[in-house]
Amino acid sequence: MDLENQARIKSFCEQYGNEDFIVVLGGGEAEASGLAAETVSTGDPTFAGPLAGVSLGLKAYHMFELKDEVDAAVYEEQIAMMEMVLEMDAIIEEVKNYRG
Amino acid sequence: MNFPVLKGASYALVQANDMIIHQGSTSLSEQKLSPDSEYLKLLPTRLRSFEDCVNYAPNQVYIGNKRPKDLNGIEAPWYENSPKGASREGKHGEIMPLDEFLGLMKAVDAFELVLLEESFQKAVEPKLLAHPVVGGWKFLEKLGKGHAAQAQIDELVAGHLAEPMYCEGKLVGCVKKAHEFDAALSEHVMFENLVSKASAAFCLELLLQKTDLDRTDVGYIIECSEEACGDMNQRGGGNFAKAIGEVCGCVNATGSDTRSFCAGPAHALVEAAALVQAGIYKNVVVLAGGSCAKLGMNSKNHIAKGLPVLEDVMGAFAVHVGENDGVSPVIRTDIVGQHTIGSGGSPQAVMQALVANPLDRAGLKIGDVDTFSTEMHDPGVMVPAGAGNVPEANYKMIAALGVMRKEFEKSQLPEILAKISMPGYAPPQGHIPSGVPFLAHMKDLMAEGELNRVMIVGKGSLFLGRLTNLFDGVSFIVEKNSGVVESGSVDKDSVRAMIAEAMADFAASLRVQDTVDERPHSSHRHSAE
């Protein structure tokens, strides 16, 4: 996960606490999305960024999982095409693993 | 209308194993953060030989000895199954080993910043003088003098006054800082910029040798790498383009640098086409050298998975855009796509802006385009790194866009994908894979009647510069030349008719002006100014 994003998420978490705080992912690949979910949950497994050894316990969801939570027209315009492009089921399955 | 044409393109790779360790950003970051890491211990043991690098099939495609679709016939992983006995010299370019390249860096250094150890320099000089492409460069004279002692190099590097130049694990030279404390002229920045300049100059020379472009006919050079040269008062002042053209004796050329991360080359090609079509310059070269920082960028993942370090080459390219010759592929400057500030950043919005919108304006459909050259990253490098198959993802998005636009049914996706796809083969050096690697192959395939219309797509991640979260991209259509070159000249009768029409318009405008001037100056008219 991008080191700058790790720093921003850590900073938000310190500012707002980790309750009512979820991370929405837009990753295009299962392994990388899972890595991001793991990073914000139990810490950076690559030990490269600010979340190395830091367990924020945040729940991450891929945007595909939040389809019913957003305006259908916006989803259609911005995301729907990617359902045909990405391995949607594999991504969701991988991200779910890190929500405990 | 006479559109400009793509007259030729050349491609260079430089294998730079030692730079992966000493100048690659991944290795340097690790040395800072975890100097005792397992990765750093394993890195020197996972480097490929020059022979393996030359044989690697995607590299052979990049320099033109194989076609992109030939890769479909080679079983993965390509680093294990590429045919042996390949040549470093290709139809469209060449792969250069590191020792020769370090010699080139000294040759193109205008400020005596590069020092090479005496025996190393003496060994490299004859190789470069005998080199079929660069052997004639007058700047090679620098290799006959200024030999440095090992102790001098050791001392400069140890004192952090110079960036080390290693070859096969041995310290053989260095690049000195160009100012006592100016960060923009530090030894590391000067090293990166000299790498970029030397590799681009090599590739420009390849273009001059492999095509009929005369060096004195080059009018303008647009350099579009991702480096910046300047000093502390103008960190990206430039100008790489003229510095590179000078090496190759393009004495009648001027030039400038264009930047937009990985989208830079596509922007530069559109600019080149516009300059030629406007008649400002007859021959424009778009070029870029390689990046040493990106060497081994994904090597942590590759090493963790037991692979060799596959990002061991720096890429370069040079493309000649000229006036319509009735033969070369035509750049349709009337079918240009652009990701605007208001386009939006989702992949769907990006594809709409870059692919669908320009086609709509031209009355074309996705199915009217034979293939697309997008981000042609080598999947053999990217997939094991967890970054996915980049060109495949682009093709899937283009095909899915066609479904969204009801050009074809969802069930037709596999068939459409098979038609428009080709495997990626370019080293992931940012600007290098972005649309341009296919241009020389495209020219050949159009000449053979295999292709008629191709879309070139460049995309860039501007957020990396931390000034904006915007995305970027530019696209354009290239078509097989119809063979018709419009003369552009007019006969005397046409000229008389045009003058008569212009005079009539002028007379009419005077009558209107008289009427307007007779009125009092109203606030409405004032605000309209």
Side-chain angles (χ1 to χ4, degrees), chain A residues 4 29 31-32 76-82 84-85, chain B residues 305 346-348 386 396-397 400-401 403-404 410 466:
Chain A
E4 182 65 21
E29 210 257 345
E31 188 181 339
E76 181 71 11
E77 190 186 311
Q78 301 285 329
I79 313 278
M81 185 188 90
M82 299 308 286
M84 283 182 271
V85 175
Chain B
K305 291 184 177 173
S346 71
Q348 192 166 332
K396 281 183 176 174
M397 281 192 272
L401 187 65
V403 175
M404 300 291 289
K410 199 174 171 185
R466 305 293 193 256

mmCIF file with all atom_site columns, all heavy atoms in Angstrom, chain A residues 4 29 31-32 76-82 84-85, chain B residues 305 346-348 386 396-397 400-401 403-404 410 466:
data_model
loop_
_atom_site.group_PDB
_atom_site.id
_atom_site.type_symbol
_atom_site.label_atom_id
_atom_site.label_alt_id
_atom_site.label_comp_id
_atom_site.label_asym_id
_atom_site.label_entity_id
_atom_site.label_seq_id
_atom_site.pdbx_PDB_ins_code
_atom_site.Cartn_x
_atom_site.Cartn_y
_atom_site.Cartn_z
_atom_site.occupancy
_atom_site.B_iso_or_equiv
_atom_site.pdbx_formal_charge
_atom_site.auth_seq_id
_atom_site.auth_comp_id
_atom_site.auth_asym_id
_atom_site.auth_atom_id
_atom_site.pdbx_PDB_model_num
ATOM 1   N N   . GLU A 1 4   ? 2.291   7.052   1.375   1.00 0.00 ? 4   GLU A N   1
ATOM 2   C CA  . GLU A 1 4   ? 1.601   8.308   1.673   1.00 0.00 ? 4   GLU A CA  1
ATOM 3   C C   . GLU A 1 4   ? 0.178   8.034   2.157   1.00 0.00 ? 4   GLU A C   1
ATOM 4   O O   . GLU A 1 4   ? -0.305  8.649   3.113   1.00 0.00 ? 4   GLU A O   1
ATOM 5   C CB  . GLU A 1 4   ? 1.588   9.180   0.405   1.00 0.00 ? 4   GLU A CB  1
ATOM 6   C CG  . GLU A 1 4   ? 0.948   10.532  0.574   1.00 0.00 ? 4   GLU A CG  1
ATOM 7   C CD  . GLU A 1 4   ? 1.705   11.451  1.529   1.00 0.00 ? 4   GLU A CD  1
ATOM 8   O OE1 . GLU A 1 4   ? 2.905   11.226  1.768   1.00 0.00 ? 4   GLU A OE1 1
ATOM 9   O OE2 . GLU A 1 4   ? 1.064   12.365  2.063   1.00 0.00 ? 4   GLU A OE2 1
ATOM 10  N N   . GLU A 1 29  ? -7.054  -5.440  -8.231  1.00 0.00 ? 29  GLU A N   1
ATOM 11  C CA  . GLU A 1 29  ? -6.496  -6.790  -8.194  1.00 0.00 ? 29  GLU A CA  1
ATOM 12  C C   . GLU A 1 29  ? -6.666  -7.363  -6.796  1.00 0.00 ? 29  GLU A C   1
ATOM 13  O O   . GLU A 1 29  ? -6.551  -6.644  -5.791  1.00 0.00 ? 29  GLU A O   1
ATOM 14  C CB  . GLU A 1 29  ? -5.018  -6.679  -8.563  1.00 0.00 ? 29  GLU A CB  1
ATOM 15  C CG  . GLU A 1 29  ? -4.426  -7.871  -9.243  1.00 0.00 ? 29  GLU A CG  1
ATOM 16  C CD  . GLU A 1 29  ? -3.591  -8.653  -8.247  1.00 0.00 ? 29  GLU A CD  1
ATOM 17  O OE1 . GLU A 1 29  ? -3.280  -8.125  -7.177  1.00 0.00 ? 29  GLU A OE1 1
ATOM 18  O OE2 . GLU A 1 29  ? -3.315  -9.807  -8.551  1.00 0.00 ? 29  GLU A OE2 1
ATOM 19  N N   . GLU A 1 31  ? -4.951  -9.598  -4.865  1.00 0.00 ? 31  GLU A N   1
ATOM 20  C CA  . GLU A 1 31  ? -3.810  -9.659  -3.940  1.00 0.00 ? 31  GLU A CA  1
ATOM 21  C C   . GLU A 1 31  ? -3.480  -8.273  -3.374  1.00 0.00 ? 31  GLU A C   1
ATOM 22  O O   . GLU A 1 31  ? -3.294  -8.105  -2.165  1.00 0.00 ? 31  GLU A O   1
ATOM 23  C CB  . GLU A 1 31  ? -2.592  -10.247 -4.665  1.00 0.00 ? 31  GLU A CB  1
ATOM 24  C CG  . GLU A 1 31  ? -1.432  -10.519 -3.733  1.00 0.00 ? 31  GLU A CG  1
ATOM 25  C CD  . GLU A 1 31  ? -0.211  -11.071 -4.476  1.00 0.00 ? 31  GLU A CD  1
ATOM 26  O OE1 . GLU A 1 31  ? -0.373  -11.605 -5.581  1.00 0.00 ? 31  GLU A OE1 1
ATOM 27  O OE2 . GLU A 1 31  ? 0.897   -10.953 -3.926  1.00 0.00 ? 31  GLU A OE2 1
ATOM 28  N N   . ALA A 1 32  ? -3.434  -7.270  -4.280  1.00 0.00 ? 32  ALA A N   1
ATOM 29  C CA  . ALA A 1 32  ? -3.090  -5.915  -3.836  1.00 0.00 ? 32  ALA A CA  1
ATOM 30  C C   . ALA A 1 32  ? -4.184  -5.341  -2.938  1.00 0.00 ? 32  ALA A C   1
ATOM 31  O O   . ALA A 1 32  ? -3.894  -4.650  -1.951  1.00 0.00 ? 32  ALA A O   1
ATOM 32  C CB  . ALA A 1 32  ? -2.872  -5.012  -5.052  1.00 0.00 ? 32  ALA A CB  1
ATOM 33  N N   . GLU A 1 76  ? -23.282 3.550   -11.936 1.00 0.00 ? 76  GLU A N   1
ATOM 34  C CA  . GLU A 1 76  ? -23.335 3.149   -13.340 1.00 0.00 ? 76  GLU A CA  1
ATOM 35  C C   . GLU A 1 76  ? -22.325 3.957   -14.170 1.00 0.00 ? 76  GLU A C   1
ATOM 36  O O   . GLU A 1 76  ? -21.636 3.429   -15.029 1.00 0.00 ? 76  GLU A O   1
ATOM 37  C CB  . GLU A 1 76  ? -24.770 3.374   -13.864 1.00 0.00 ? 76  GLU A CB  1
ATOM 38  C CG  . GLU A 1 76  ? -25.010 2.990   -15.316 1.00 0.00 ? 76  GLU A CG  1
ATOM 39  C CD  . GLU A 1 76  ? -25.011 1.477   -15.546 1.00 0.00 ? 76  GLU A CD  1
ATOM 40  O OE1 . GLU A 1 76  ? -25.033 0.727   -14.561 1.00 0.00 ? 76  GLU A OE1 1
ATOM 41  O OE2 . GLU A 1 76  ? -24.973 1.068   -16.722 1.00 0.00 ? 76  GLU A OE2 1
ATOM 42  N N   . GLU A 1 77  ? -22.242 5.237   -13.855 1.00 0.00 ? 77  GLU A N   1
ATOM 43  C CA  . GLU A 1 77  ? -21.381 6.125   -14.634 1.00 0.00 ? 77  GLU A CA  1
ATOM 44  C C   . GLU A 1 77  ? -19.896 5.928   -14.307 1.00 0.00 ? 77  GLU A C   1
ATOM 45  O O   . GLU A 1 77  ? -19.039 6.050   -15.169 1.00 0.00 ? 77  GLU A O   1
ATOM 46  C CB  . GLU A 1 77  ? -21.785 7.572   -14.340 1.00 0.00 ? 77  GLU A CB  1
ATOM 47  C CG  . GLU A 1 77  ? -21.150 8.596   -15.257 1.00 0.00 ? 77  GLU A CG  1
ATOM 48  C CD  . GLU A 1 77  ? -21.483 10.011  -14.805 1.00 0.00 ? 77  GLU A CD  1
ATOM 49  O OE1 . GLU A 1 77  ? -22.669 10.280  -14.551 1.00 0.00 ? 77  GLU A OE1 1
ATOM 50  O OE2 . GLU A 1 77  ? -20.550 10.827  -14.676 1.00 0.00 ? 77  GLU A OE2 1
ATOM 51  N N   . GLN A 1 78  ? -19.601 5.613   -13.037 1.00 0.00 ? 78  GLN A N   1
ATOM 52  C CA  . GLN A 1 78  ? -18.200 5.587   -12.599 1.00 0.00 ? 78  GLN A CA  1
ATOM 53  C C   . GLN A 1 78  ? -17.614 4.184   -12.423 1.00 0.00 ? 78  GLN A C   1
ATOM 54  O O   . GLN A 1 78  ? -16.416 3.999   -12.590 1.00 0.00 ? 78  GLN A O   1
ATOM 55  C CB  . GLN A 1 78  ? -18.075 6.332   -11.256 1.00 0.00 ? 78  GLN A CB  1
ATOM 56  C CG  . GLN A 1 78  ? -18.510 7.790   -11.285 1.00 0.00 ? 78  GLN A CG  1
ATOM 57  C CD  . GLN A 1 78  ? -17.492 8.696   -11.971 1.00 0.00 ? 78  GLN A CD  1
ATOM 58  O OE1 . GLN A 1 78  ? -16.298 8.430   -11.932 1.00 0.00 ? 78  GLN A OE1 1
ATOM 59  N NE2 . GLN A 1 78  ? -17.972 9.740   -12.629 1.00 0.00 ? 78  GLN A NE2 1
ATOM 60  N N   . ILE A 1 79  ? -18.439 3.207   -12.050 1.00 0.00 ? 79  ILE A N   1
ATOM 61  C CA  . ILE A 1 79  ? -17.888 1.907   -11.615 1.00 0.00 ? 79  ILE A CA  1
ATOM 62  C C   . ILE A 1 79  ? -18.369 0.713   -12.455 1.00 0.00 ? 79  ILE A C   1
ATOM 63  O O   . ILE A 1 79  ? -17.623 -0.242  -12.638 1.00 0.00 ? 79  ILE A O   1
ATOM 64  C CB  . ILE A 1 79  ? -18.275 1.612   -10.135 1.00 0.00 ? 79  ILE A CB  1
ATOM 65  C CG1 . ILE A 1 79  ? -18.025 2.815   -9.234  1.00 0.00 ? 79  ILE A CG1 1
ATOM 66  C CG2 . ILE A 1 79  ? -17.571 0.367   -9.616  1.00 0.00 ? 79  ILE A CG2 1
ATOM 67  C CD1 . ILE A 1 79  ? -16.630 3.009   -8.749  1.00 0.00 ? 79  ILE A CD1 1
ATOM 68  N N   . ALA A 1 80  ? -19.613 0.770   -12.936 1.00 0.00 ? 80  ALA A N   1
ATOM 69  C CA  . ALA A 1 80  ? -20.259 -0.429  -13.505 1.00 0.00 ? 80  ALA A CA  1
ATOM 70  C C   . ALA A 1 80  ? -19.387 -1.135  -14.536 1.00 0.00 ? 80  ALA A C   1
ATOM 71  O O   . ALA A 1 80  ? -19.298 -2.364  -14.556 1.00 0.00 ? 80  ALA A O   1
ATOM 72  C CB  . ALA A 1 80  ? -21.603 -0.034  -14.114 1.00 0.00 ? 80  ALA A CB  1
ATOM 73  N N   . MET A 1 81  ? -18.732 -0.358  -15.378 1.00 0.00 ? 81  MET A N   1
ATOM 74  C CA  . MET A 1 81  ? -17.902 -0.958  -16.428 1.00 0.00 ? 81  MET A CA  1
ATOM 75  C C   . MET A 1 81  ? -16.833 -1.877  -15.840 1.00 0.00 ? 81  MET A C   1
ATOM 76  O O   . MET A 1 81  ? -16.521 -2.931  -16.401 1.00 0.00 ? 81  MET A O   1
ATOM 77  C CB  . MET A 1 81  ? -17.233 0.152   -17.240 1.00 0.00 ? 81  MET A CB  1
ATOM 78  C CG  . MET A 1 81  ? -16.442 -0.324  -18.415 1.00 0.00 ? 81  MET A CG  1
ATOM 79  S SD  . MET A 1 81  ? -15.521 1.031   -19.170 1.00 0.00 ? 81  MET A SD  1
ATOM 80  C CE  . MET A 1 81  ? -14.000 0.951   -18.259 1.00 0.00 ? 81  MET A CE  1
ATOM 81  N N   . MET A 1 82  ? -16.314 -1.514  -14.673 1.00 0.00 ? 82  MET A N   1
ATOM 82  C CA  . MET A 1 82  ? -15.224 -2.287  -14.088 1.00 0.00 ? 82  MET A CA  1
ATOM 83  C C   . MET A 1 82  ? -15.683 -3.653  -13.589 1.00 0.00 ? 82  MET A C   1
ATOM 84  O O   . MET A 1 82  ? -14.860 -4.547  -13.389 1.00 0.00 ? 82  MET A O   1
ATOM 85  C CB  . MET A 1 82  ? -14.543 -1.505  -12.947 1.00 0.00 ? 82  MET A CB  1
ATOM 86  C CG  . MET A 1 82  ? -13.917 -0.199  -13.387 1.00 0.00 ? 82  MET A CG  1
ATOM 87  S SD  . MET A 1 82  ? -12.797 -0.376  -14.800 1.00 0.00 ? 82  MET A SD  1
ATOM 88  C CE  . MET A 1 82  ? -11.386 -1.154  -14.008 1.00 0.00 ? 82  MET A CE  1
ATOM 89  N N   . MET A 1 84  ? -17.164 -5.688  -15.345 1.00 0.00 ? 84  MET A N   1
ATOM 90  C CA  . MET A 1 84  ? -16.876 -6.597  -16.467 1.00 0.00 ? 84  MET A CA  1
ATOM 91  C C   . MET A 1 84  ? -15.377 -6.815  -16.649 1.00 0.00 ? 84  MET A C   1
ATOM 92  O O   . MET A 1 84  ? -14.944 -7.706  -17.359 1.00 0.00 ? 84  MET A O   1
ATOM 93  C CB  . MET A 1 84  ? -17.439 -6.012  -17.769 1.00 0.00 ? 84  MET A CB  1
ATOM 94  C CG  . MET A 1 84  ? -18.918 -6.147  -17.930 1.00 0.00 ? 84  MET A CG  1
ATOM 95  S SD  . MET A 1 84  ? -19.453 -5.483  -19.527 1.00 0.00 ? 84  MET A SD  1
ATOM 96  C CE  . MET A 1 84  ? -19.746 -3.793  -19.133 1.00 0.00 ? 84  MET A CE  1
ATOM 97  N N   . VAL A 1 85  ? -14.587 -5.948  -16.033 1.00 0.00 ? 85  VAL A N   1
ATOM 98  C CA  . VAL A 1 85  ? -13.143 -5.947  -16.291 1.00 0.00 ? 85  VAL A CA  1
ATOM 99  C C   . VAL A 1 85  ? -12.373 -6.710  -15.210 1.00 0.00 ? 85  VAL A C   1
ATOM 100 O O   . VAL A 1 85  ? -11.474 -7.486  -15.500 1.00 0.00 ? 85  VAL A O   1
ATOM 101 C CB  . VAL A 1 85  ? -12.633 -4.483  -16.366 1.00 0.00 ? 85  VAL A CB  1
ATOM 102 C CG1 . VAL A 1 85  ? -11.121 -4.454  -16.513 1.00 0.00 ? 85  VAL A CG1 1
ATOM 103 C CG2 . VAL A 1 85  ? -13.304 -3.740  -17.519 1.00 0.00 ? 85  VAL A CG2 1
ATOM 104 N N   . LYS B 2 305 ? 9.342   -14.101 -4.486  1.00 0.00 ? 305 LYS B N   1
ATOM 105 C CA  . LYS B 2 305 ? 8.698   -15.212 -5.197  1.00 0.00 ? 305 LYS B CA  1
ATOM 106 C C   . LYS B 2 305 ? 9.701   -16.097 -5.934  1.00 0.00 ? 305 LYS B C   1
ATOM 107 O O   . LYS B 2 305 ? 9.316   -16.926 -6.760  1.00 0.00 ? 305 LYS B O   1
ATOM 108 C CB  . LYS B 2 305 ? 7.659   -14.655 -6.172  1.00 0.00 ? 305 LYS B CB  1
ATOM 109 C CG  . LYS B 2 305 ? 6.466   -14.047 -5.425  1.00 0.00 ? 305 LYS B CG  1
ATOM 110 C CD  . LYS B 2 305 ? 5.381   -13.561 -6.321  1.00 0.00 ? 305 LYS B CD  1
ATOM 111 C CE  . LYS B 2 305 ? 4.237   -13.056 -5.443  1.00 0.00 ? 305 LYS B CE  1
ATOM 112 N NZ  . LYS B 2 305 ? 3.184   -12.405 -6.180  1.00 0.00 ? 305 LYS B NZ  1
ATOM 113 N N   . SER B 2 346 ? -12.213 8.187   -12.475 1.00 0.00 ? 346 SER B N   1
ATOM 114 C CA  . SER B 2 346 ? -12.470 6.742   -12.435 1.00 0.00 ? 346 SER B CA  1
ATOM 115 C C   . SER B 2 346 ? -12.030 6.130   -13.761 1.00 0.00 ? 346 SER B C   1
ATOM 116 O O   . SER B 2 346 ? -12.038 6.800   -14.789 1.00 0.00 ? 346 SER B O   1
ATOM 117 C CB  . SER B 2 346 ? -13.956 6.474   -12.210 1.00 0.00 ? 346 SER B CB  1
ATOM 118 O OG  . SER B 2 346 ? -14.686 6.811   -13.372 1.00 0.00 ? 346 SER B OG  1
ATOM 119 N N   . PRO B 2 347 ? -11.623 4.847   -13.737 1.00 0.00 ? 347 PRO B N   1
ATOM 120 C CA  . PRO B 2 347 ? -11.170 4.209   -14.973 1.00 0.00 ? 347 PRO B CA  1
ATOM 121 C C   . PRO B 2 347 ? -12.201 4.344   -16.100 1.00 0.00 ? 347 PRO B C   1
ATOM 122 O O   . PRO B 2 347 ? -11.853 4.530   -17.263 1.00 0.00 ? 347 PRO B O   1
ATOM 123 C CB  . PRO B 2 347 ? -10.978 2.751   -14.575 1.00 0.00 ? 347 PRO B CB  1
ATOM 124 C CG  . PRO B 2 347 ? -10.747 2.780   -13.110 1.00 0.00 ? 347 PRO B CG  1
ATOM 125 C CD  . PRO B 2 347 ? -11.526 3.938   -12.581 1.00 0.00 ? 347 PRO B CD  1
ATOM 126 N N   . GLN B 2 348 ? -13.470 4.261   -15.707 1.00 0.00 ? 348 GLN B N   1
ATOM 127 C CA  . GLN B 2 348 ? -14.540 4.348   -16.707 1.00 0.00 ? 348 GLN B CA  1
ATOM 128 C C   . GLN B 2 348 ? -14.552 5.744   -17.357 1.00 0.00 ? 348 GLN B C   1
ATOM 129 O O   . GLN B 2 348 ? -14.651 5.875   -18.580 1.00 0.00 ? 348 GLN B O   1
ATOM 130 C CB  . GLN B 2 348 ? -15.884 4.098   -16.022 1.00 0.00 ? 348 GLN B CB  1
ATOM 131 C CG  . GLN B 2 348 ? -17.016 3.877   -16.976 1.00 0.00 ? 348 GLN B CG  1
ATOM 132 C CD  . GLN B 2 348 ? -18.232 3.294   -16.259 1.00 0.00 ? 348 GLN B CD  1
ATOM 133 O OE1 . GLN B 2 348 ? -18.094 2.603   -15.253 1.00 0.00 ? 348 GLN B OE1 1
ATOM 134 N NE2 . GLN B 2 348 ? -19.410 3.555   -16.775 1.00 0.00 ? 348 GLN B NE2 1
ATOM 135 N N   . GLY B 2 386 ? 2.255   -8.444  -8.360  1.00 0.00 ? 386 GLY B N   1
ATOM 136 C CA  . GLY B 2 386 ? 0.935   -8.157  -7.797  1.00 0.00 ? 386 GLY B CA  1
ATOM 137 C C   . GLY B 2 386 ? 0.273   -6.945  -8.423  1.00 0.00 ? 386 GLY B C   1
ATOM 138 O O   . GLY B 2 386 ? -0.706  -6.427  -7.896  1.00 0.00 ? 386 GLY B O   1
ATOM 139 N N   . LYS B 2 396 ? -9.534  -5.038  -21.638 1.00 0.00 ? 396 LYS B N   1
ATOM 140 C CA  . LYS B 2 396 ? -10.828 -5.406  -21.046 1.00 0.00 ? 396 LYS B CA  1
ATOM 141 C C   . LYS B 2 396 ? -11.688 -4.172  -20.834 1.00 0.00 ? 396 LYS B C   1
ATOM 142 O O   . LYS B 2 396 ? -12.898 -4.201  -21.040 1.00 0.00 ? 396 LYS B O   1
ATOM 143 C CB  . LYS B 2 396 ? -10.608 -6.128  -19.704 1.00 0.00 ? 396 LYS B CB  1
ATOM 144 C CG  . LYS B 2 396 ? -10.207 -7.588  -19.865 1.00 0.00 ? 396 LYS B CG  1
ATOM 145 C CD  . LYS B 2 396 ? -10.080 -8.221  -18.485 1.00 0.00 ? 396 LYS B CD  1
ATOM 146 C CE  . LYS B 2 396 ? -9.770  -9.703  -18.590 1.00 0.00 ? 396 LYS B CE  1
ATOM 147 N NZ  . LYS B 2 396 ? -9.513  -10.286 -17.271 1.00 0.00 ? 396 LYS B NZ  1
ATOM 148 N N   . MET B 2 397 ? -11.053 -3.079  -20.401 1.00 0.00 ? 397 MET B N   1
ATOM 149 C CA  . MET B 2 397 ? -11.822 -1.846  -20.179 1.00 0.00 ? 397 MET B CA  1
ATOM 150 C C   . MET B 2 397 ? -12.366 -1.300  -21.500 1.00 0.00 ? 397 MET B C   1
ATOM 151 O O   . MET B 2 397 ? -13.504 -0.840  -21.573 1.00 0.00 ? 397 MET B O   1
ATOM 152 C CB  . MET B 2 397 ? -10.946 -0.794  -19.496 1.00 0.00 ? 397 MET B CB  1
ATOM 153 C CG  . MET B 2 397 ? -10.801 -1.017  -18.014 1.00 0.00 ? 397 MET B CG  1
ATOM 154 S SD  . MET B 2 397 ? -10.059 0.388   -17.179 1.00 0.00 ? 397 MET B SD  1
ATOM 155 C CE  . MET B 2 397 ? -8.335  0.005   -17.344 1.00 0.00 ? 397 MET B CE  1
ATOM 156 N N   . ALA B 2 400 ? -15.201 -3.557  -22.509 1.00 0.00 ? 400 ALA B N   1
ATOM 157 C CA  . ALA B 2 400 ? -16.348 -3.343  -21.625 1.00 0.00 ? 400 ALA B CA  1
ATOM 158 C C   . ALA B 2 400 ? -17.022 -2.010  -21.941 1.00 0.00 ? 400 ALA B C   1
ATOM 159 O O   . ALA B 2 400 ? -18.251 -1.882  -21.857 1.00 0.00 ? 400 ALA B O   1
ATOM 160 C CB  . ALA B 2 400 ? -15.899 -3.382  -20.165 1.00 0.00 ? 400 ALA B CB  1
ATOM 161 N N   . LEU B 2 401 ? -16.220 -1.037  -22.310 1.00 0.00 ? 401 LEU B N   1
ATOM 162 C CA  . LEU B 2 401 ? -16.772 0.268   -22.699 1.00 0.00 ? 401 LEU B CA  1
ATOM 163 C C   . LEU B 2 401 ? -17.685 0.090   -23.918 1.00 0.00 ? 401 LEU B C   1
ATOM 164 O O   . LEU B 2 401 ? -18.746 0.708   -24.009 1.00 0.00 ? 401 LEU B O   1
ATOM 165 C CB  . LEU B 2 401 ? -15.619 1.230   -23.021 1.00 0.00 ? 401 LEU B CB  1
ATOM 166 C CG  . LEU B 2 401 ? -15.962 2.691   -23.280 1.00 0.00 ? 401 LEU B CG  1
ATOM 167 C CD1 . LEU B 2 401 ? -16.540 3.343   -22.023 1.00 0.00 ? 401 LEU B CD1 1
ATOM 168 C CD2 . LEU B 2 401 ? -14.717 3.466   -23.726 1.00 0.00 ? 401 LEU B CD2 1
ATOM 169 N N   . VAL B 2 403 ? -19.402 -2.539  -24.567 1.00 0.00 ? 403 VAL B N   1
ATOM 170 C CA  . VAL B 2 403 ? -20.659 -3.141  -24.089 1.00 0.00 ? 403 VAL B CA  1
ATOM 171 C C   . VAL B 2 403 ? -21.546 -2.064  -23.462 1.00 0.00 ? 403 VAL B C   1
ATOM 172 O O   . VAL B 2 403 ? -22.750 -1.998  -23.726 1.00 0.00 ? 403 VAL B O   1
ATOM 173 C CB  . VAL B 2 403 ? -20.372 -4.271  -23.070 1.00 0.00 ? 403 VAL B CB  1
ATOM 174 C CG1 . VAL B 2 403 ? -21.668 -4.818  -22.484 1.00 0.00 ? 403 VAL B CG1 1
ATOM 175 C CG2 . VAL B 2 403 ? -19.570 -5.391  -23.731 1.00 0.00 ? 403 VAL B CG2 1
ATOM 176 N N   . MET B 2 404 ? -20.930 -1.208  -22.630 1.00 0.00 ? 404 MET B N   1
ATOM 177 C CA  . MET B 2 404 ? -21.695 -0.129  -21.989 1.00 0.00 ? 404 MET B CA  1
ATOM 178 C C   . MET B 2 404 ? -22.343 0.775   -23.044 1.00 0.00 ? 404 MET B C   1
ATOM 179 O O   . MET B 2 404 ? -23.433 1.292   -22.851 1.00 0.00 ? 404 MET B O   1
ATOM 180 C CB  . MET B 2 404 ? -20.774 0.746   -21.114 1.00 0.00 ? 404 MET B CB  1
ATOM 181 C CG  . MET B 2 404 ? -20.068 0.047   -19.983 1.00 0.00 ? 404 MET B CG  1
ATOM 182 S SD  . MET B 2 404 ? -21.162 -0.486  -18.668 1.00 0.00 ? 404 MET B SD  1
ATOM 183 C CE  . MET B 2 404 ? -21.620 1.068   -17.923 1.00 0.00 ? 404 MET B CE  1
ATOM 184 N N   . LYS B 2 410 ? -22.409 -8.366  -24.186 1.00 0.00 ? 410 LYS B N   1
ATOM 185 C CA  . LYS B 2 410 ? -21.453 -8.846  -23.191 1.00 0.00 ? 410 LYS B CA  1
ATOM 186 C C   . LYS B 2 410 ? -20.870 -10.209 -23.597 1.00 0.00 ? 410 LYS B C   1
ATOM 187 O O   . LYS B 2 410 ? -19.698 -10.497 -23.361 1.00 0.00 ? 410 LYS B O   1
ATOM 188 C CB  . LYS B 2 410 ? -22.150 -8.942  -21.836 1.00 0.00 ? 410 LYS B CB  1
ATOM 189 C CG  . LYS B 2 410 ? -21.204 -8.990  -20.672 1.00 0.00 ? 410 LYS B CG  1
ATOM 190 C CD  . LYS B 2 410 ? -21.957 -8.947  -19.366 1.00 0.00 ? 410 LYS B CD  1
ATOM 191 C CE  . LYS B 2 410 ? -21.010 -9.210  -18.214 1.00 0.00 ? 410 LYS B CE  1
ATOM 192 N NZ  . LYS B 2 410 ? -21.704 -9.289  -16.942 1.00 0.00 ? 410 LYS B NZ  1
ATOM 193 N N   . ARG B 2 466 ? 2.178   15.139  -6.192  1.00 0.00 ? 466 ARG B N   1
ATOM 194 C CA  . ARG B 2 466 ? 1.568   15.769  -5.010  1.00 0.00 ? 466 ARG B CA  1
ATOM 195 C C   . ARG B 2 466 ? 1.156   17.227  -5.233  1.00 0.00 ? 466 ARG B C   1
ATOM 196 O O   . ARG B 2 466 ? 1.171   18.027  -4.310  1.00 0.00 ? 466 ARG B O   1
ATOM 197 C CB  . ARG B 2 466 ? 2.517   15.697  -3.795  1.00 0.00 ? 466 ARG B CB  1
ATOM 198 C CG  . ARG B 2 466 ? 2.992   14.279  -3.446  1.00 0.00 ? 466 ARG B CG  1
ATOM 199 C CD  . ARG B 2 466 ? 1.852   13.399  -2.957  1.00 0.00 ? 466 ARG B CD  1
ATOM 200 N NE  . ARG B 2 466 ? 2.340   12.158  -2.341  1.00 0.00 ? 466 ARG B NE  1
ATOM 201 C CZ  . ARG B 2 466 ? 2.315   10.954  -2.911  1.00 0.00 ? 466 ARG B CZ  1
ATOM 202 N NH1 . ARG B 2 466 ? 1.831   10.795  -4.128  1.00 0.00 ? 466 ARG B NH1 1
ATOM 203 N NH2 . ARG B 2 466 ? 2.752   9.885   -2.260  1.00 0.00 ? 466 ARG B NH2 1
#
